[in-house]
Amino acid sequence: MNRHSRTPICASVALALILSLMLPAALAAEEPSFPFADEPVTFTAMVPQTSVIEDWATNEMTLYIESKTNIHLEFTHIVTDNDFMNKLNMMIAAGGDDLPDLIINSGMDPQDLQPWGEAGMILALNEYYEKDACYLEKSFETCTMSYADCLKYMTCYNGEIYALPSYGESTNNQFSQSRIMIYKPWLDKLGLDSPTTVDELVDVLRHFRDDDPNGNGIADEIPLSSAKNRISNVRKCLMTPFVYTQNGYYLPAEDGTMGFAFTEEGWREGMRFVKRLIDEGLFDPAFLTQDIKQLTATQCSADGIETVGAVVNISTSNMSSSDIRRYEYVRLAALANTDGKRVAVWEPTMPSGGMLITKNCKDPELAFRLGDWLCSEEMSLYSRYGREGVDYHYWQEGDPVNNYAGLGKEQVFVYNPRASWGNLQNIYWALKGPSCITTRLFFGQVGAGKTDDSDLGRLKNANGKIDSGVLLESLDYIDESKVVAKLIFNEEEQQVVTDVGMPIASYAEECWARFITGDMDLDSDWGGYLAELDRMGLEQYVEAVQSAYDRMNADK
């Protein structure tokens, strides 16, 4: 049971909510004809200087945009990624007279834009979303996030939207923060199945500890390990069977009453479980202090003796791509507790700002239509892969298939693997700017590379199919009623979150480490722990979070 009651929505919050919810109800605009302008139009633009784009002006995607739309892009400000936001802040602080028409990048937090918009430096785009958005809405038809929710998360507290989105959906990434990967050769050698419950996990880890799976006659096996960089991941995957554990530790009840996982009895039971693993020598406590490099060194011992049976990590990409051990770990789906229920921690992809239209733009409607088109499937694929018919083509019968082909997912397009992604090239924008990589595209991408018949290649393919099946299985374990994707706080709420909430979360995390290692007692110290949370202002923190949560979920 949660410990605090709900708070009402104030009138100003309700007004902002109404403004923000007007947009999803608008009808999609008709698909525009090309070119967008009868006569050439020039927009000046600020873009990031990155290590992957050779020349914005002569980039083939830029030239394609110009030939298709009759819009010429003049890149007047090319600023390094690291200095981008600082440079933009300086231009705005100077009055904004030197701002170009467009600001193009990715990863800009939509909520950080409100002060610039209220100062008149960038334009609110609500009216253009209502009457000119076309490709955006169509793209979001095949995303796990709805178009309405995209707009909700793009909307600032004042009810305005100041950016066109950059959105790249990866179902893999949505589950990667709570992932256990287990060493399949040890399972096979000991005749064990992949565990599906917390009790089965304990049993498997005991076998790893006791049965000498690496065959060297020495009790040197580490059944489960991780790193300090992944402590949040550890909490999510090992605590969630007992209490849902997500970013922010938010825990909404069925009636919408907000609580926090770290105050619940399930939190204490989850800590008992983790402590049990440590006490039995099943979970190496070094994860609290070692970094990823140290974990990798343990997994990839030079003598070729495997010692780590399972890891909590985002992936095994910390290991060399040429090391076969990287592909010998397979993913586990969410673990069930003794009640048999399996719940996966799911973190929805959030849109970021991909393009802003400044006060100096003489034709913001045309600029918006350009940004909307850049979010189409055609241009999103161009921005990520390159030219249709050269760098990718739509899938046809007889083309290779991916691991999801036999699991009910559509095969959409085939891309030609090449070394240019992540390296300097002059073909595409590398998802810098407005784009929408949908769930359909994620599951439907097929690599056209040659079949790798090496031992490593065959193993990678076989275990890759296992991982793909686990990923799709994880979709069945989502409890959306528990998911708090993002909360948009007003200034007063944000002050409480910063001054009260952050210290509370830090204290809860500190005590979590102390409880699981025995430095605090889960019985005698639990009451004092809860009392300290109250003393630190938990009630005030709950009220601030509840207010934002109610505002963002008033339409449900």
Side-chain angles (χ1 to χ4, degrees), residues 435-457:
S435 61
C436 184
I437 300 296
T438 66
T439 309
R440 172 175 176 269
L441 296 180
F442 171 79
F443 283 119
Q445 57 184 312
V446 181
K450 295 180 180 179
T451 302
D452 185 351
D453 290 326
S454 66
D455 289 344
L456 188 148

Side-chain angles (χ1 to χ4, degrees), residues 242-269:
F242 305 91
V243 60
Y244 193 78
T245 303
Q246 61 185 318
N247 289 335
Y249 307 103
Y250 305 125
L251 191 66
E254 290 184 6
D255 65 354
T257 302
M258 180 58 70
F260 291 94
F262 53 67
T263 68
E264 301 293 313
E265 184 60 29
W267 185 260
R268 179 156 61 154
E269 292 310 303

Side-chain angles (χ1 to χ4, degrees), residues 252-289:
E254 290 184 6
D255 65 354
T257 302
M258 180 58 70
F260 291 94
F262 53 67
T263 68
E264 301 293 313
E265 184 60 29
W267 185 260
R268 179 156 61 154
E269 292 310 303
M271 290 190 293
R272 287 192 196 279
F273 174 67
V274 178
K275 185 175 187 300
R276 172 188 175 191
L277 296 179
I278 294 173
D279 289 348
E280 289 194 29
L282 304 177
F283 192 6
D284 185 3
F287 84 90
L288 291 165
T289 55

Side-chain angles (χ1 to χ4, degrees), residues 324-541:
I324 196 168
R325 288 172 290 193
R326 171 172 172 167
Y327 309 105
E328 291 178 324
Y329 287 87
V330 294
R331 301 170 185 171
L332 300 184
L335 297 171
N337 199 348
T338 51
D339 62 3
K341 186 176 182 181
R342 303 173 75 173
V343 178
V345 179
W346 178 60
E347 301 182 0
T349 304
M350 289 288 106
S352 67
M355 188 175 93
L356 319 180
I357 303 175
T358 77
K359 66 174 186 175
N360 296 328
C361 182
K362 299 297 190 293
D363 195 341
E365 179 177 345
L366 181 61
F368 182 90
R369 289 171 59 199
L370 170 64
D372 177 61
W373 177 57
L374 291 176
C375 292
S376 66
E377 181 170 287
E378 174 196 9
M379 295 310 295
S380 297
L381 282 172
Y382 205 137
S383 187
R384 171 60 180 85
Y385 293 96
R387 303 151 294 186
E388 182 180 358
V390 178
D391 303 299
Y392 79 92
H393 67 269
Y394 278 93
W395 190 87
Q396 304 172 23
E397 288 294 334
D399 277 338
V401 297
N402 65 23
N403 290 337
Y404 302 107
L407 300 172
K409 292 299 181 181
E410 175 189 10
Q411 306 292 279
V412 179
F413 68 98
V414 180
Y415 64 92
N416 300 316
R418 58 183 191 279
S420 61
W421 181 255
N423 298 316
L424 187 65
Q425 52 75 42
N426 212 33
I427 298 171
Y428 51 83
W429 282 11
L431 298 178
K432 295 293 185 181
S435 61
C436 184
I437 300 296
T438 66
T439 309
R440 172 175 176 269
L441 296 180
F442 171 79
F443 283 119
Q445 57 184 312
V446 181
K450 295 180 180 179
T451 302
D452 185 351
D453 290 326
S454 66
D455 289 344
L456 188 148
R458 287 193 296 271
L459 178 70
K460 181 178 179 181
N461 182 59
N463 286 349
K465 289 181 178 179
I466 294 174
D467 289 345
S468 297
V470 168
L471 185 62
L472 286 183
E473 181 186 358
S474 298
L475 293 170
D476 295 332
Y477 306 138
I478 297 172
D479 183 351
E480 292 195 38
S481 70
K482 294 287 191 293
V483 177
V484 180
K486 184 175 183 179
L487 294 179
I488 299 173
F489 298 105
N490 63 26
E491 289 185 18
E492 181 180 351
E493 294 160 354
Q494 185 60 59
Q495 196 68 45
V496 173
V497 171
T498 301
D499 295 345
V500 180
M502 292 176 66
I504 282 176
S506 294
Y507 174 71
E509 291 167 358
E510 173 193 342
C511 290
W512 181 85
R514 295 179 65 188
F515 276 125
I516 66 170
T517 55
D519 188 50
M520 291 177 69
D521 187 86
L522 282 162
D523 295 313
S524 61
D525 290 329
W526 179 250
Y529 160 76
L530 293 178
E532 179 62 15
L533 290 174
D534 284 335
R535 188 200 66 77
M536 294 178 73
L538 181 62
E539 184 172 1
Q540 183 185 10
Y541 183 32

Side-chain angles (χ1 to χ4, degrees), residues 140-146 149 167 169 171 174 346 348-349 438-440 443 475 478 480:
F140 272 91
E141 290 175 358
T142 58
C143 291
T144 55
M145 178 178 286
S146 69
D149 278 346
Y167 182 84
E169 194 153 69
T171 306
Q174 291 170 346
W346 178 60
T349 304
T438 66
T439 309
R440 172 175 176 269
F443 283 119
L475 293 170
I478 297 172
E480 292 195 38

